[in-house]
Amino acid sequence: MPSFEPSSEQKMLIEAASRLAEEVFRPGAAEAESNGTLAPSTIEKGWSLGLLATGLPLEVGGLGERSALSGVLAVEELARGDLSAALATLAPSAFALPIVMAGTPDQRRKYLPRFAGANWPASTAAVIEPTYNFDFAFPEVRAHREAAEFVLTGVKGWVPFADRAQDLLVYASEGDRVQAFIVPRSAPGVMVQDREKLMGLDAIPLYRVTFRDVRLEAAARLGGEAGIEHEPILAAARVATSALGLGLARAAYEYALRYAQDRRAFGAPIGQKQAVAFMLAEMATEIEAIRLLVWEAAWRIDRGEAAGRAAHLAHLGAADMAMMVADRAVQVLGGHGYVRDHPVERWLREARSLSSLTGIAMV
């Protein structure tokens, strides 16, 4: 059974991530959304936490200590500060960790050293597709082999930092299997289109990218001739998204709780009213319950077990829970919940994205 007490190293990581969230991410969140851009210093400070570098192999400059459980502990804290800043911090992991998990020795030597440095590397993954029934296991982007090359065709959406990324990790259907391909952004046929206009997440740049007969060397396929099994990668992505949902929900709950303790009506704090107290209790209960699902899925990943089912349950639960908690937070604030002087309306809009975000962050 997993321990419910973080190790001393995990406690230090939680404290560092929490301090970053409170001192950097949260104070700049409203301005970043209003301006439509995160300050470069915010992204660099998030990167300086070293979440990805810690999990890289020793031979490429990392510490060789990848832990999904430690990752979700830190990601929850970061998302509690700001979801967009947390996603920006994690975006390179969606490119690098699949290479750690399934890359060939040559792919690891070529691509991973850039992620062990002090500067945030502009690399990302192209996972989500602009279709109403998108399924990670059945992408509509296609790859087929022609002699010694692969030809990639299709459209991806919600690709973080596609306008500046050096390389993209693109998931595509090759026959009846899901495969991933390392695609230079400068390759002929790669077209970064206009920035996506979404309900929330205005601070992080997400783009639609078209791949029109993009020709790639055979060595561009992740895992080489063997290719990849996508289930472990999908599990790591779902666990990361679940942890993001936990952090957002905690932020909304804690804000609503403080408001209910401070706001008075008819001579007493509104938190003493039964209807408000019951909502807050349900919010807290659901957060704690989903956290256990997320921890179990991450624990199974760290043990090398099949974690697909646990990760799927955690993701479904976290997406629903975050939406419920954010909505209740708006209700607790009443009319104030609908105005932008309070962040709960932003968290409600961002919570809606969690069911669709899988793949653009990873632990």
Side-chain angles (χ1 to χ4, degrees):
M1 291 293 292
S3 170
F4 293 100
E5 179 66 24
S7 67
S8 57
E9 292 81 5
Q10 288 172 332
K11 289 179 180 178
M12 291 175 61
L13 178 61
I14 291 170
E15 291 172 2
S18 179
R19 187 164 56 249
L20 178 66
E22 293 179 0
E23 296 177 0
V24 179
F25 284 10
R26 178 76 65 82
E31 183 178 357
E33 188 194 40
S34 177
N35 296 338
T37 183
L38 287 161
S41 61
T42 297
I43 299 175
E44 292 294 346
K45 288 176 181 177
W47 180 253
S48 70
L49 194 62
L51 285 180
L52 178 54
T54 299
L56 297 179
L58 292 170
E59 60 268 23
V60 299
L63 299 181
E65 297 179 356
R66 181 190 171 215
S67 167
L69 185 53
S70 295
V72 300
L73 294 174
V75 170
E76 178 182 337
E77 297 299 326
L78 295 180
R80 177 173 161 267
D82 179 45
L83 183 60
S84 291
L87 282 169
T89 300
L90 296 175
S93 70
F95 180 93
L97 284 182
I99 297 177
V100 173
M101 298 166 68
T104 65
D106 284 344
Q107 288 168 343
R108 293 182 183 186
R109 284 192 294 268
K110 180 177 180 179
Y111 294 104
L112 293 182
R114 75 176 70 157
F115 298 94
N119 296 323
W120 178 86
S123 296
T124 188
V127 182
I128 300 166
E129 296 178 353
T131 58
Y132 78 94
N133 60 343
F134 168 67
D135 187 333
F136 188 104
F138 300 98
E140 293 186 9
V141 172
R142 301 287 175 180
H144 68 273
R145 197 156 194 165
E146 290 186 2
E149 294 181 321
F150 288 100
V151 181
L152 196 67
T153 302
V155 181
K156 293 288 187 180
W158 293 32
V159 183
F161 302 102
D163 62 326
R164 71 192 79 170
Q166 182 176 348
D167 300 288
L168 300 90
L169 186 65
V170 183
Y171 292 86
S173 293
E174 184 197 344
D176 59 355
R177 294 181 62 189
V178 180
Q179 296 298 321
F181 298 85
I182 302 170
V183 181
R185 182 172 59 88
S186 59
V190 177
M191 293 171 283
V192 179
Q193 298 176 302
D194 292 340
R195 183 170 172 173
E196 305 263 26
K197 296 181 180 179
L198 305 175
M199 179 177 173
L201 299 176
D202 292 332
I204 184 169
L206 301 170
Y207 290 86
R208 187 166 296 191
V209 183
T210 297
F211 303 92
R212 185 171 296 168
D213 295 328
V214 179
R215 293 189 171 272
L216 304 167
E217 297 178 353
R221 182 168 68 176
L222 186 61
E225 284 299 318
I228 64 168
E229 295 297 331
H230 74 275
E231 289 88 354
I233 295 173
L234 178 56
R238 281 175 166 162
V239 167
T241 307
S242 303
L244 291 167
L246 276 174
L248 185 148
R250 265 187 63 204
Y253 164 71
E254 291 169 0
Y255 195 94
L257 178 63
R258 288 194 299 271
Y259 184 91
Q261 292 169 338
D262 295 339
R263 179 73 171 178
R264 300 178 68 85
F266 303 105
I270 63 170
Q272 294 182 8
K273 307 300 180 183
Q274 189 177 72
V276 174
F278 281 7
M279 280 198 291
L280 290 167
E282 185 178 12
M283 292 157 70
T285 301
E286 290 298 313
I287 291 171
E288 294 297 325
I290 296 302
R291 183 180 287 114
L292 294 181
L293 286 178
V294 178
W295 285 3
E296 180 190 356
W299 174 73
R300 291 188 181 279
I301 290 173
D302 288 342
R303 286 170 58 89
E305 298 179 6
R309 181 178 183 274
H312 187 46
L313 292 175
H315 181 220
L316 287 175
D320 287 346
M321 176 274 296
M323 192 68 199
M324 181 275 286
V325 171
D327 180 63
R328 296 287 174 84
V330 170
Q331 292 184 53
V332 169
L333 268 68
H336 287 171
Y338 199 66
V339 299
R340 295 201 173 187
D341 289 343
H342 297 277
V344 290
E345 60 82 28
R346 182 177 77 248
W347 293 328
L348 178 58
R349 290 185 284 110
E350 291 175 343
R352 176 54 69 186
S353 71
L354 290 167
S355 60
S356 304
L357 282 178
T358 299
I360 66 175
M362 202 167 292
V363 293

